[in-house]
C-alpha cells in the first residue's frame, strides 16, 4: 500500500515561517510541533544515559563503587532536567518558582559531595522524569509526525497520485470501503482523509505537546512551587508577627500617654480640689469669708476638671466616630484643631438621608481616626504650619489618608515627635506609612490602610 | 516652719503654698524639678521639704531620687514625699538611710488639712509618717515564717498606726481604748519582734519600720 507508506514520510520542519502576522493557533501549532520533535531525541538520549547510569549505579551500590556512578547520573539527570524545564515552560504553564537543589557546603569533603545529590529529592525526581519522559516523548512524537505527514500528503494526493504505479490487483483503500474502483474515488477518499487530519492537527499536536510536557510540570517544578509557597507562608508569618509587635507597641504607647494625661490632668485637678475643699473646711471656723472664696474657686476647678475628662474620654474612644463614622469624626477633629484644617473625602460622603455609603470596618475607622488625630496633634505641636489639609480616599482595597501641611518640615520617625507611635499604629492595622518631610517643609504624611 | 516645696504642677504648688501660708508656715522656696530641689534644700536648710515623686526631666521618680540626694548632702533633713501612687519600693528607698524625718503620703491626704499638717510637723520633728496604704502593702508582702505573723490583729493595727507616725495617745484615741492598753500592745509587739524597749517614740517607730522594710 504505497499511499499508506507515503503518509509516514516526515513533514518538512515548519520552523521557517514567513515574517507576517500569524494567527495565534498557528504560532501555537508550530511551537508545539517544534517542541515535540526537539524533545524526542533528547528523550531518547536521556533515557539511554540515565537508564544505563542508574542500572550500573544501583547494581554496584553494594560494593560502594556504584555510589559515584549514581551520583554522576544525578548530575546528568539535572542537565537533562534543566533543558526540559526551559522547553516545557514554553508549552505548559509552570509555576514561576525557582528550582533549588541541595548543594554540598563549599568546604565539604569529597565523599559528601558525592552523597549530597543522592539525598536530594529533586535530583531523584529529575532522574525519574528522564526515564519516564522517554515514553511520553515517543508517543507524542509518533502522533505529531503521523498527523503532519498524513494531513499534508493526503491533502496534496491529487497532485502526486499519478506518480504511483497502479496495479489492477492492488486492493486500494477506497475499494475496502466498498466504493467503485475509479481514480476519482481513490483521490476523494485520500484527500478527505488528509483534510480530516489537517483540520484536527492543531488539537492533536497540542495534546501531544501537553502529554510530553506534563511529567515535567509535575516532577520538575512541583517541589520548587511547594518550597516557594512555604517561603511565602514564612514571610507572611514574619509579617504578621511584626504587625502584632507594632500593635502591642502602639497599645503600650497609647496607654502610657493615657496614664500621663490622667495624671497631669484630672487627677492633678481633683487633688487640688480636695486640697481647696480641705482648706475651706478649715477656714469655715476661722474666716468664713475666705472659705466662701475658696469654695468659689473650687467650683471653677470642678468645671475645668469635667472639661478635661470630657476631652480625655474623647481621646480614648470618640463617641462621634462610633455614631457618625469616620468622616464626621475627622471633620470634628479638624474643627477643634488650632491649625486650620481642610478635610476632603471624595467618595466617602457623610452618613445622612438618602444614599448611605457603606461604613468602613470599625477597626479601620478607628486606626484611621487616631492616625489623623495624632498627625494633627503633631502638626499643631511641631510644624508651625498655618494651614493643613486632610484627604481620605478609598482606592481599591485600601483607605488612603493624606495629611499635608505648610510647616517647617523635618519630621522624622526617629525624632520622638509621636511619629513612631503613628507608624506603629499604621503597621498594626497592616498598613504602610510614608513620610515626606524635607527640612524647610512642607510635610506630607501618607497612610495606606487595608480595608478588607 | 520654713518649708521648701517641689512639685512640677503649678496648680498643686499654688494650692500647697496657700494652705501653708494660711496655717502660719513660711514657704521659702517652691521649685519644679529634682536638681532645683537639691540646691534649694542645701541653700535654705528648711525645717521640712514637701516633694512630689514625679517631676521633670525624667517624669518617673525624679523627686524621690532628689530627696535621697538632698538627705545625703544635708543628713537628716526632713522630707515629706507626696505622690499620686504609693509604692513600697519607693518607701524602701526613702527609709534606706535609717534616719528619721521621713514622710510618704498619697497626695489625697492633703485634703485632711489637720492630719496633713500634723504629719508634716511630726516629720519635721524627726518622726516617720507612712501612708496607711504603704503600711498595708508592707504587711501584705510579709513572707512565711515571719515573726510579724505572730502578732494579733489588734497588735498589727497598733503597729500600723505607729508606722503612720501616731503617738500612743493618738492611737488610744483612734482605737477608743486607754493609753495603758496601747502601751501594753506596744510592749507585746516589741517582745514578739525581739526589739529592745526604748523611751523615744519616733525611734521606736523607726526601729519597727527598719524591721518592716527588711
Amino acid at each position: 500500500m504505497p499511499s499508506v507508506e507515503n503518509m509516514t514520510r516526515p513533514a518538512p520542519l515548519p520552523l521557517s515561517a514567513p515574517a507576517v502576522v500569524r494567527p495565534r493557533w498557528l504560532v501555537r501549532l508550530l511551537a508545539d510541533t517544534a517542541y515535540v520533535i526537539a524533545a524526542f531525541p533528547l528523550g531518547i538520549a536521556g533515557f539511554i544515559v540515565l537508564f544505563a547510569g542508574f542500572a550500573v549505579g544501583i547494581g554496584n551500590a553494594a560494593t560502594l563503587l556504584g555510589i559515584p556512578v549514581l551520583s554522576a547520573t544525578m548530575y546528568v539527570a539535572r542537565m537533562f532536567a534543566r533543558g526540559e524545564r526551559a522547553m516545557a515552560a514554553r508549552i505548559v504553564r509552570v509555576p514561576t518558582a525557582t528550582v533549588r537543589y541541595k548543594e554540598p557546603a563549599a568546604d565539604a569533603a569529597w565523599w559528601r559531595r558525592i552523597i549530597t545529590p543522592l539525598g536530594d529529592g529533586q535530583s531523584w525526581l529529575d532522574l525519574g522524569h528522564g526515564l519516564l519522559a522517554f515514553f511520553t516523548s515517543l508517543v507524542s512524537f509518533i502522533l505529531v509526525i503521523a498527523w503532519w505527514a498524513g494531513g499534508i500528503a493526503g491533502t496534496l494526493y491529487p497532485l502526486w497520485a499519478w506518480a504511483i504505479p497502479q496495479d489492477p490487483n492492488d486492493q486500494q483503500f477506497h475499494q475496502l470501503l466498498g466504493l467503485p474502483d475509479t481514480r476519482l474515488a481513490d483521490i476523494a477518499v485520500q484527500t478527505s482523509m488528509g483534510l480530516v487530519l489537517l483540520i484536527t492537527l492543531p488539537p492533536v499536536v497540542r495534546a501531544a505537546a501537553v502529554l510530553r510536557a506534563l511529567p515535567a510540570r509535575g516532577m520538575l517544578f512541583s517541589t520548587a512551587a511547594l518550597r516557594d509557597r512555604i517561603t511565602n507562608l514564612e514571610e507572611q508569618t514574619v509579617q504578621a508577627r511584626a504587625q502584632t509587635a507594632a500593635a502591642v507597641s502602639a497599645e503600650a504607647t497609647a496607654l502610657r500617654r493615657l496614664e500621663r494625661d490622667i495624671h497631669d490632668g484630672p487627677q492633678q485637678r481633683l487633688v487640688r480640689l480636695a486640697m481647696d475643699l480641705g482648706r475651706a473646711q478649715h477656714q469655715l471656723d476661722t474666716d468664713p469669708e475666705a472659705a466662701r472664696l475658696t469654695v468659689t474657686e473650687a467650683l471653677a476647678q470642678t468645671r475645668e476638671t469635667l472639661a478635661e475628662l470630657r476631652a480625655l474620654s474623647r481621646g480614648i474612644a470618640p463617641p462621634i466616630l462610633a455614631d457618625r463614622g469616620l468622616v464626621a469624626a475627622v471633620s470634628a477633629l479638624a474643627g477643634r484643631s488650632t491649625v486650620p484644617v481642610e478635610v476632603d473625602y471624595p467618595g466617602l460622603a457623610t452618613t445622612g438621608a438618602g444614599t448611605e455609603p457603606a461604613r468602613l470596618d470599625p477597626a479601620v475607622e478607628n486606626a484611621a481616626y487616631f492616625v489623623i488625630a495624632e498627625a494633627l496633634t503633631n502638626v499643631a505641636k511641631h510644624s508651625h504650619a498655618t494651614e493643613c489639609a486632610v484627604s481620605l480616599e478609598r482606592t481599591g482595597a485600601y483607605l488612603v489618608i493624606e495629611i499635608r501641611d505648610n510647616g517647617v518640615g523635618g519630621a522624622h520617625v526617629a525624632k520622638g515627635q509621636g511619629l513612631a507611635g503613628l507608624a506603629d499604629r499604621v503597621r498594626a492595622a497592616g498598613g504602610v506609612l510614608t513620610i515626606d518631610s524635607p527640612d524647610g517643609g512642607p510635610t506630607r504624611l501618607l497612610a495606606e490602610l487595608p480595608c478588607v | 516652719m520654713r518649708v521648701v516645696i517641689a512639685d512640677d504642677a503649678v496648680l498643686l504648688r499654688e494650692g500647697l503654698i496657700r494652705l501653708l501660708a494660711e496655717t502660719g508656715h513660711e514657704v521659702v522656696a517652691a521649685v519644679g524639678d529634682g536638681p532645683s530641689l537639691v540646691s534649694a534644700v542645701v541653700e535654705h536648710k528648711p525645717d521640712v521639704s514637701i516633694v512630689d515623686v514625679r517631676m521633670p526631666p525624667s517624669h518617673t521618680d525624679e523627686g524621690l531620687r532628689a530627696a535621697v540626694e538632698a538627705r545625703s548632702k544635708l543628713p537628716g533633713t526632713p522630707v515629706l514625699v507626696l505622690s499620686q501612687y504609693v509604692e513600697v519600693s519607693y518607701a524602701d528607698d526613702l527609709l534606706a538611710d535609717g534616719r528619721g524625718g521621713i514622710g510618704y503620703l498619697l497626695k489625697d491626704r492633703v485634703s485632711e488639712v489637720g492630719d496633713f499638717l500634723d504629719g508634716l510637723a511630726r516629720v519635721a520633728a524627726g518622726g516617720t509618717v507612712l501612708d496607711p496604704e504603704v503600711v498595708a502593702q508592707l504587711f501584705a508582702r510579709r513572707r512565711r515564717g515571719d515573726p510579724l505573723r505572730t502578732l494579733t490583729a489588734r497588735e498589727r493595727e497598733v503597729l500600723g498606726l505607729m508606722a503612720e507616725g501616731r503617738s500612743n495617745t493618738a492611737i488610744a484615741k483612734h482605737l477608743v481604748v486607754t493609753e495603758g492598753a496601747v502601751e501594753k500592745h506596744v510592749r507585746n509587739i516589741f517582745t514578739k519582734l525581739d526589739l529592745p524597749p526604748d523611751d523615744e517614740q519616733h525611734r521606736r517607730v523607726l526601729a519597727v519600720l527598719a524591721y518592716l522594710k527588711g
Side-chain angles (χ1 to χ4, degrees):
Chain A
M1 294 194 291
S3 56
V4 175
E5 217 170 74
N6 271 322
M7 283 172 66
T8 57
R9 190 188 291 164
L13 275 183
L15 287 175
S16 52
V20 292
V21 182
R22 287 163 295 185
R24 282 179 69 101
W25 65 267
L26 186 59
V27 176
R28 182 91 263 178
L29 176 66
L30 298 181
D32 286 350
T33 307
Y35 166 66
V36 170
I37 290 171
F40 180 59
L42 200 70
I44 293 176
F47 181 78
I48 293 168
V49 175
L50 296 180
F51 186 76
F54 180 65
V56 172
I58 289 292
N60 295 291
T63 65
L64 292 184
L65 282 175
I67 302 292
V69 177
L70 213 51
S71 179
T73 310
M74 293 294 189
Y75 278 108
V76 175
R78 200 174 287 186
M79 278 162 47
F80 279 108
R82 209 161 280 158
E84 182 63 40
R85 273 187 206 108
M87 292 196 301
R90 305 177 56 122
I91 301 305
V92 289
R93 269 204 307 148
V94 295
T96 52
T98 30
V99 183
R100 261 176 251 109
Y101 293 100
K102 201 187 280 180
E103 295 294 345
D107 55 346
W110 59 269
W111 56 269
R112 186 165 284 287
R113 285 173 191 281
I114 290 174
I115 296 288
T116 305
L118 302 184
D120 178 31
Q122 186 60 55
S123 293
W124 284 98
L125 282 174
D126 286 0
L127 178 65
H129 177 263
L131 299 178
L132 180 70
F134 169 67
F135 300 100
T136 58
S137 58
L138 189 64
V139 172
S140 58
F141 183 76
I142 291 170
L143 273 175
V144 165
I145 295 302
W147 245 259
W148 269 107
I152 291 172
T155 313
L156 300 180
Y157 186 70
L159 300 181
W160 50 268
W162 58 268
I164 299 173
Q166 298 280 342
D167 188 307
N169 296 326
D170 280 352
Q171 277 283 333
Q172 297 278 10
F173 198 49
H174 60 275
Q175 287 171 281
L176 293 176
L177 292 175
L179 295 172
D181 186 14
T182 63
R183 175 130 300 227
L184 188 67
D186 180 28
I187 288 177
V189 167
Q190 293 288 353
T191 309
S192 52
M193 271 170 56
L195 279 173
V196 167
L197 290 184
L198 212 56
I199 289 165
T200 53
L201 185 63
V204 168
V205 169
R206 180 91 273 251
V210 168
L211 171 71
R212 176 65 185 79
L214 270 185
R217 182 165 194 263
M219 298 174 82
L220 302 185
F221 292 95
S222 57
T223 57
L226 191 66
R227 203 192 333 252
D228 267 26
R229 219 162 56 221
I230 291 170
T231 315
N232 270 347
L233 285 175
E234 276 170 355
E235 270 165 18
Q236 279 170 22
T237 312
V238 169
Q239 218 167 12
R241 218 172 282 155
Q243 201 172 326
T244 312
V248 170
S249 164
E251 171 102 12
T253 312
L255 283 177
R256 253 199 312 276
R257 198 171 43 209
L258 181 61
E259 191 273 340
R260 179 88 172 267
D261 286 348
I262 292 174
H263 176 271
D264 292 351
Q267 207 172 7
Q268 215 71 287
R269 289 197 182 276
L270 283 173
V271 169
R272 171 66 191 265
L273 189 62
M275 211 184 268
D276 284 353
L277 288 177
R279 259 175 61 218
Q281 201 178 31
H282 203 73
Q283 287 164 339
L284 276 177
D285 304 331
T286 53
D287 186 354
E289 195 50 41
R292 184 198 303 279
L293 205 68
T294 309
V295 169
T296 310
E297 280 176 17
L299 200 61
Q301 200 72 247
T302 313
R303 290 201 190 97
E304 279 167 44
T305 313
L306 282 172
E308 229 161 52
L309 273 175
R310 202 159 34 234
L312 205 58
S313 61
R314 194 157 47 203
I316 300 166
I320 189 172
L321 182 61
D323 296 349
R324 295 287 160 83
L326 183 59
V327 170
V330 170
S331 303
L333 258 185
R336 284 197 300 274
S337 168
T338 49
V339 179
V341 179
E342 191 182 299
V343 184
D344 187 27
Y345 38 86
L348 274 176
T350 38
T351 58
T355 52
E356 189 171 304
R359 282 276 295 272
L360 297 164
D361 183 75
V364 178
E365 281 198 335
N366 211 47
Y369 177 85
F370 282 106
V371 164
I372 295 168
E374 281 169 43
L376 289 182
T377 308
N378 276 337
V379 169
K381 265 192 192 164
H382 306 288
S383 74
H384 304 288
T386 55
E387 44 188 72
C388 178
V390 175
S391 89
L392 295 161
E393 195 170 359
R394 181 100 189 244
T395 312
Y398 281 83
L399 176 67
V400 180
I401 304 163
E402 192 193 37
I403 300 126
R404 275 170 293 130
D405 68 55
N406 64 347
V408 294
H412 197 273
V413 172
K415 277 190 184 167
Q417 295 167 335
L419 277 179
L422 218 152
D424 273 344
R425 248 188 218 288
V426 174
R427 216 175 311 136
V432 183
L433 179 72
T434 320
I435 301 165
D436 176 27
S437 181
D439 279 323
T443 300
R444 180 171 167 271
L445 290 189
L446 196 67
E448 291 159 273
L449 303 173
C451 296
V452 276
Chain B
M1 286 193 293
R2 297 169 64 253
V3 185
V4 166
I5 297 174
D7 195 327
D8 62 317
V10 180
L11 203 63
L12 297 191
R13 215 158 64 194
E14 292 307 315
L16 273 175
I17 291 173
R18 283 198 199 177
L19 178 69
L20 292 171
E22 280 168 17
T23 48
H25 300 288
E26 184 194 353
V27 177
V28 291
V31 297
D33 61 76
S36 318
L37 168 68
V38 177
S39 46
V41 167
V42 171
E43 187 191 335
H44 296 287
K45 297 189 176 55
D47 295 318
V48 65
S49 308
I50 301 173
V51 179
D52 180 22
V53 169
R54 190 144 95 172
M55 281 197 292
S58 67
H59 282 287
T60 53
D61 58 350
E62 191 75 22
L64 202 67
R65 281 184 280 126
V68 170
E69 192 188 335
R71 275 166 70 82
S72 75
K73 289 200 168 160
L74 197 65
T77 183
V79 174
L80 174 62
V81 172
L82 291 180
S83 175
Q84 305 269 34
Y85 316 96
V86 293
E87 298 292 346
V88 169
S89 65
Y90 288 179
D92 287 347
D93 285 358
L94 286 169
L95 297 168
D97 65 3
R99 296 170 184 274
I102 283 292
Y104 183 31
L105 291 178
L106 266 181
K107 274 191 177 171
D108 314 9
R109 310 294 175 204
V110 180
S111 59
E112 306 279 335
V113 175
D115 285 357
F116 171 70
L117 292 175
D118 200 33
L120 189 66
R122 281 203 303 274
V123 171
T128 302
V129 178
L130 290 189
D131 197 274
E133 269 200 31
V134 180
V135 175
Q137 286 184 33
L138 282 168
F139 275 118
R141 75 168 183 185
R142 286 295 113 195
R143 290 176 295 273
R144 251 140 61 91
D146 195 300
L148 270 184
R149 300 182 140 247
T150 64
L151 299 185
T152 64
R154 187 56 124 184
E155 285 160 359
R156 276 163 174 269
E157 210 172 349
V158 172
L159 182 60
L161 291 166
M162 281 165 63
E164 285 170 30
R166 294 176 198 255
S167 65
N168 281 1
T169 321
I171 294 172
K173 212 192 275 173
H174 186 85
L175 297 179
V176 202
V177 294
T178 62
E179 236 183 290
V182 173
E183 274 167 27
K184 192 169 140 265
H185 285 311
V186 170
R187 269 197 310 278
N188 282 344
I189 292 167
F190 287 156
T191 315
K192 280 184 179 172
L193 300 186
D194 200 19
L195 290 167
D198 197 307
D199 293 336
E200 258 186 282
Q201 175 79 8
H202 76 261
R203 284 191 64 87
R204 291 192 300 186
V205 173
L206 210 59
V208 174
L209 286 172
Y211 182 81
L212 276 175
K213 73 190 174 70

